[in-house]
Short mmCIF file of all heavy atoms in Angstrom, two decimals:
data_model
loop_
_atom_site.label_atom_id
_atom_site.label_comp_id
_atom_site.label_asym_id
_atom_site.label_seq_id
_atom_site.Cartn_x
_atom_site.Cartn_y
_atom_site.Cartn_z
N MET A 27 61.80 -56.08 -18.65
CA MET A 27 61.06 -56.18 -19.75
C MET A 27 60.72 -54.75 -20.40
O MET A 27 60.91 -54.49 -21.52
CB MET A 27 59.73 -57.06 -19.71
CG MET A 27 59.97 -58.52 -19.44
SD MET A 27 58.48 -59.50 -19.48
CE MET A 27 57.70 -59.06 -17.88
N LEU A 28 60.20 -53.90 -19.46
CA LEU A 28 59.86 -52.50 -19.90
C LEU A 28 61.12 -51.82 -20.44
O LEU A 28 61.05 -51.06 -21.42
CB LEU A 28 59.28 -51.78 -18.72
CG LEU A 28 58.82 -50.40 -18.92
CD1 LEU A 28 57.72 -50.37 -20.08
CD2 LEU A 28 58.32 -49.63 -17.71
N SER A 29 62.23 -51.80 -19.78
CA SER A 29 63.43 -51.30 -20.16
C SER A 29 63.88 -51.77 -21.57
O SER A 29 64.28 -50.98 -22.44
CB SER A 29 64.65 -51.56 -19.21
OG SER A 29 64.34 -51.04 -17.88
N ALA A 30 63.81 -53.16 -21.84
CA ALA A 30 64.26 -53.69 -23.18
C ALA A 30 63.30 -53.17 -24.17
O ALA A 30 63.68 -52.90 -25.32
CB ALA A 30 64.22 -55.13 -23.04
N LEU A 31 61.94 -53.15 -23.91
CA LEU A 31 60.91 -52.71 -24.87
C LEU A 31 61.10 -51.33 -25.20
O LEU A 31 60.96 -50.83 -26.41
CB LEU A 31 59.45 -53.00 -24.28
CG LEU A 31 59.10 -54.51 -24.17
CD1 LEU A 31 57.79 -54.60 -23.65
CD2 LEU A 31 59.05 -55.12 -25.62
N MET A 32 61.43 -50.41 -24.25
CA MET A 32 61.66 -48.88 -24.55
C MET A 32 62.76 -48.80 -25.43
O MET A 32 62.73 -47.85 -26.34
CB MET A 32 61.65 -48.17 -23.18
CG MET A 32 60.47 -48.22 -22.27
SD MET A 32 59.12 -47.35 -23.04
CE MET A 32 59.60 -45.68 -22.88
N LEU A 33 63.89 -49.37 -25.11
CA LEU A 33 64.97 -49.27 -25.84
C LEU A 33 64.76 -49.62 -27.41
O LEU A 33 65.21 -49.08 -28.41
CB LEU A 33 66.27 -49.83 -25.41
CG LEU A 33 67.54 -49.70 -26.14
CD1 LEU A 33 68.05 -48.24 -25.80
CD2 LEU A 33 68.61 -50.62 -25.66
N LYS A 34 64.07 -50.83 -27.55
CA LYS A 34 63.77 -51.42 -28.86
C LYS A 34 62.97 -50.43 -29.61
O LYS A 34 62.97 -50.33 -30.78
CB LYS A 34 63.00 -52.81 -28.73
CG LYS A 34 62.86 -53.48 -29.98
CD LYS A 34 62.18 -54.83 -29.83
CE LYS A 34 61.89 -55.52 -31.18
NZ LYS A 34 61.05 -56.74 -31.06
N ARG A 35 62.07 -49.68 -28.90
CA ARG A 35 61.07 -48.76 -29.57
C ARG A 35 61.74 -47.60 -30.09
O ARG A 35 61.60 -47.03 -31.10
CB ARG A 35 59.98 -48.42 -28.67
CG ARG A 35 58.96 -47.44 -29.34
CD ARG A 35 57.77 -47.17 -28.40
NE ARG A 35 56.79 -46.30 -28.98
CZ ARG A 35 55.77 -45.89 -28.52
NH1 ARG A 35 55.41 -46.28 -27.36
NH2 ARG A 35 54.87 -44.95 -29.19
N TYR A 36 62.67 -46.97 -29.21
CA TYR A 36 63.22 -45.74 -29.52
C TYR A 36 64.58 -45.79 -30.14
O TYR A 36 65.11 -44.86 -30.80
CB TYR A 36 63.39 -44.82 -28.27
CG TYR A 36 61.99 -44.43 -27.68
CD1 TYR A 36 61.44 -45.02 -26.56
CD2 TYR A 36 61.18 -43.44 -28.45
CE1 TYR A 36 60.11 -44.66 -26.16
CE2 TYR A 36 59.90 -43.19 -27.90
CZ TYR A 36 59.36 -43.83 -26.86
OH TYR A 36 58.10 -43.44 -26.44
N LEU A 37 65.34 -46.80 -29.79
CA LEU A 37 66.53 -47.16 -30.44
C LEU A 37 66.68 -48.57 -30.93
O LEU A 37 67.44 -49.43 -30.30
CB LEU A 37 67.78 -46.87 -29.54
CG LEU A 37 67.96 -45.36 -29.00
CD1 LEU A 37 68.88 -45.31 -27.88
CD2 LEU A 37 68.40 -44.50 -30.20
N PRO A 38 65.86 -48.92 -32.06
CA PRO A 38 65.85 -50.21 -32.42
C PRO A 38 67.00 -51.02 -32.81
O PRO A 38 67.03 -52.33 -32.72
CB PRO A 38 64.74 -50.13 -33.58
CG PRO A 38 64.92 -48.83 -34.11
CD PRO A 38 65.29 -47.88 -32.87
N LYS A 39 68.06 -50.24 -33.12
CA LYS A 39 69.43 -50.93 -33.58
C LYS A 39 70.18 -51.32 -32.38
O LYS A 39 71.26 -51.97 -32.50
CB LYS A 39 70.23 -50.05 -34.55
CG LYS A 39 69.50 -49.73 -35.86
CD LYS A 39 70.35 -49.04 -36.76
CE LYS A 39 69.55 -48.75 -38.19
NZ LYS A 39 70.52 -48.07 -39.10
N MET A 40 69.87 -50.85 -31.18
CA MET A 40 70.70 -51.12 -30.02
C MET A 40 70.32 -52.53 -29.56
O MET A 40 69.15 -52.91 -29.72
CB MET A 40 70.48 -50.08 -28.92
CG MET A 40 70.99 -48.72 -29.27
SD MET A 40 72.66 -48.60 -29.68
CE MET A 40 73.29 -48.67 -27.93
N PRO A 41 71.34 -53.08 -28.84
CA PRO A 41 70.93 -54.61 -28.24
C PRO A 41 70.03 -54.44 -27.08
O PRO A 41 70.39 -54.39 -25.79
CB PRO A 41 72.34 -55.06 -27.81
CG PRO A 41 73.15 -53.88 -27.58
CD PRO A 41 72.70 -52.86 -28.55
N HIS A 42 68.65 -54.54 -27.29
CA HIS A 42 67.74 -54.20 -26.15
C HIS A 42 67.72 -55.25 -25.09
O HIS A 42 67.41 -54.92 -23.89
CB HIS A 42 66.31 -54.02 -26.86
CG HIS A 42 65.78 -55.16 -27.52
ND1 HIS A 42 66.18 -55.65 -28.70
CD2 HIS A 42 64.70 -56.02 -27.17
CE1 HIS A 42 65.51 -56.63 -29.08
NE2 HIS A 42 64.60 -57.00 -28.12
N LEU A 43 67.84 -56.49 -25.44
CA LEU A 43 67.84 -57.53 -24.50
C LEU A 43 69.06 -57.41 -23.51
O LEU A 43 68.77 -57.57 -22.28
CB LEU A 43 67.91 -58.91 -25.17
CG LEU A 43 66.78 -59.38 -26.02
CD1 LEU A 43 66.91 -60.56 -26.59
CD2 LEU A 43 65.46 -59.25 -25.36
N LEU A 44 70.22 -57.16 -23.97
CA LEU A 44 71.24 -56.83 -23.15
C LEU A 44 71.12 -55.68 -22.21
O LEU A 44 71.41 -55.69 -21.00
CB LEU A 44 72.63 -56.71 -24.00
CG LEU A 44 74.02 -56.49 -23.23
CD1 LEU A 44 74.20 -57.73 -22.41
CD2 LEU A 44 75.10 -56.24 -24.20
N PHE A 45 70.51 -54.63 -22.72
CA PHE A 45 70.23 -53.43 -22.01
C PHE A 45 69.17 -53.75 -20.93
O PHE A 45 69.34 -53.33 -19.80
CB PHE A 45 69.57 -52.38 -22.87
CG PHE A 45 69.15 -51.08 -22.18
CD1 PHE A 45 70.14 -50.20 -21.88
CD2 PHE A 45 67.84 -50.89 -22.00
CE1 PHE A 45 69.69 -49.03 -21.13
CE2 PHE A 45 67.45 -49.56 -21.29
CZ PHE A 45 68.40 -48.74 -20.99
N GLY A 46 68.12 -54.56 -21.25
CA GLY A 46 67.25 -54.95 -20.12
C GLY A 46 67.82 -55.73 -19.09
O GLY A 46 67.44 -55.48 -17.96
N MET A 47 68.81 -56.62 -19.35
CA MET A 47 69.56 -57.40 -18.37
C MET A 47 70.24 -56.45 -17.44
O MET A 47 70.23 -56.55 -16.17
CB MET A 47 70.38 -58.35 -18.90
CG MET A 47 69.65 -59.67 -19.49
SD MET A 47 70.97 -60.85 -20.07
CE MET A 47 69.93 -62.24 -20.70
N VAL A 48 70.90 -55.52 -18.04
CA VAL A 48 71.77 -54.54 -17.20
C VAL A 48 70.93 -53.69 -16.35
O VAL A 48 71.18 -53.48 -15.05
CB VAL A 48 72.51 -53.70 -18.18
CG1 VAL A 48 73.14 -52.50 -17.35
CG2 VAL A 48 73.57 -54.36 -18.85
N MET A 49 69.78 -53.12 -16.84
CA MET A 49 68.80 -52.40 -16.07
C MET A 49 68.24 -53.22 -14.98
O MET A 49 68.06 -52.72 -13.87
CB MET A 49 67.83 -51.89 -16.92
CG MET A 49 68.36 -50.77 -18.02
SD MET A 49 69.15 -49.46 -17.20
CE MET A 49 67.87 -48.56 -16.32
N GLY A 50 67.84 -54.53 -15.25
CA GLY A 50 67.31 -55.29 -14.16
C GLY A 50 68.30 -55.57 -13.15
O GLY A 50 67.90 -55.49 -11.80
N SER A 51 69.58 -55.71 -13.43
CA SER A 51 70.64 -56.00 -12.43
C SER A 51 70.86 -54.80 -11.61
O SER A 51 70.97 -54.86 -10.32
CB SER A 51 71.92 -56.29 -13.16
OG SER A 51 71.86 -57.37 -13.95
N LEU A 52 70.86 -53.53 -12.19
CA LEU A 52 71.10 -52.34 -11.41
C LEU A 52 69.87 -52.08 -10.47
O LEU A 52 69.96 -51.64 -9.35
CB LEU A 52 71.20 -51.23 -12.45
CG LEU A 52 72.47 -51.08 -13.28
CD1 LEU A 52 72.36 -50.05 -14.28
CD2 LEU A 52 73.74 -51.00 -12.43
N ALA A 53 68.63 -52.35 -10.94
CA ALA A 53 67.48 -52.12 -10.18
C ALA A 53 67.49 -53.14 -8.97
O ALA A 53 67.21 -52.78 -7.85
CB ALA A 53 66.14 -52.45 -11.02
N SER A 54 67.96 -54.30 -9.18
CA SER A 54 68.07 -55.23 -8.09
C SER A 54 69.12 -54.87 -6.96
O SER A 54 68.92 -54.99 -5.76
CB SER A 54 68.58 -56.74 -8.66
OG SER A 54 68.75 -57.53 -7.57
N ILE A 55 70.27 -54.27 -7.54
CA ILE A 55 71.23 -53.74 -6.51
C ILE A 55 70.74 -52.62 -5.77
O ILE A 55 70.88 -52.56 -4.38
CB ILE A 55 72.49 -53.35 -7.34
CG1 ILE A 55 73.18 -54.68 -7.86
CG2 ILE A 55 73.47 -52.66 -6.42
CD1 ILE A 55 74.29 -54.23 -8.86
N ALA A 56 69.88 -51.77 -6.48
CA ALA A 56 69.36 -50.53 -5.76
C ALA A 56 68.34 -50.91 -4.72
O ALA A 56 68.22 -50.19 -3.69
CB ALA A 56 68.61 -49.62 -6.81
N ILE A 57 67.52 -52.03 -4.78
CA ILE A 57 66.59 -52.25 -3.72
C ILE A 57 67.10 -53.28 -2.82
O ILE A 57 66.36 -53.85 -1.92
CB ILE A 57 65.29 -52.83 -4.49
CG1 ILE A 57 65.43 -54.19 -5.11
CG2 ILE A 57 64.70 -51.80 -5.43
CD1 ILE A 57 64.16 -54.86 -5.53
N GLY A 58 68.42 -53.75 -3.01
CA GLY A 58 68.83 -54.80 -2.03
C GLY A 58 68.08 -56.17 -2.35
O GLY A 58 67.54 -56.72 -1.36
N GLY A 59 68.28 -56.70 -3.55
CA GLY A 59 67.40 -57.81 -3.90
C GLY A 59 67.49 -58.98 -3.07
O GLY A 59 66.52 -59.64 -2.85
N ALA A 60 68.72 -59.39 -2.66
CA ALA A 60 68.92 -60.54 -1.99
C ALA A 60 68.10 -60.52 -0.66
O ALA A 60 67.65 -61.61 -0.18
CB ALA A 60 70.38 -60.76 -1.73
N ALA A 61 67.98 -59.51 -0.09
CA ALA A 61 67.24 -59.17 1.15
C ALA A 61 65.72 -59.38 0.96
O ALA A 61 65.04 -59.67 1.91
CB ALA A 61 67.53 -57.76 1.78
N HIS A 62 65.24 -59.30 -0.30
CA HIS A 62 63.91 -59.53 -0.54
C HIS A 62 63.49 -60.70 -1.34
O HIS A 62 62.47 -60.80 -1.97
CB HIS A 62 63.32 -58.23 -1.47
CG HIS A 62 63.44 -56.89 -0.68
ND1 HIS A 62 62.72 -56.55 0.40
CD2 HIS A 62 64.39 -55.88 -0.84
CE1 HIS A 62 63.03 -55.47 0.86
NE2 HIS A 62 64.02 -55.03 0.11
N GLY A 63 64.35 -61.69 -1.27
CA GLY A 63 64.09 -62.97 -1.86
C GLY A 63 64.61 -63.20 -3.23
O GLY A 63 64.28 -64.26 -3.89
N LEU A 64 65.32 -62.27 -3.92
CA LEU A 64 65.74 -62.44 -5.19
C LEU A 64 66.90 -63.34 -5.29
O LEU A 64 67.92 -63.18 -4.46
CB LEU A 64 66.09 -61.08 -5.90
CG LEU A 64 65.00 -60.33 -6.57
CD1 LEU A 64 64.07 -59.66 -5.52
CD2 LEU A 64 65.53 -59.36 -7.56
N THR A 65 67.03 -64.20 -6.29
CA THR A 65 68.21 -65.07 -6.51
C THR A 65 68.90 -64.62 -7.78
O THR A 65 68.41 -63.99 -8.50
CB THR A 65 67.79 -66.45 -6.48
OG1 THR A 65 66.83 -66.70 -7.71
CG2 THR A 65 67.15 -67.02 -5.31
#
């Protein structure tokens, strides 16, 4: 949510929801999400 909101604020014409999904996916990979209960 924070990633999407930041992009919407500073680059309002960019697809912020898509950006938020990408950032959430990268963050999950970085922390090994499956090992911590993420589905």
Side-chain angles (χ1 to χ4, degrees):
M27 288 190 282
L28 183 62
S29 300
L31 290 172
M32 292 296 286
L33 186 69
K34 183 179 181 181
R35 179 174 180 180
Y36 294 107
L37 295 171
K39 293 186 178 180
M40 299 296 288
H42 64 287
L43 296 181
L44 184 60
F45 178 75
M47 286 185 178
V48 172
M49 295 303 293
S51 299
L52 293 176
S54 175
I55 293 171
I57 67 170
H62 297 292
L64 271 79
T65 57

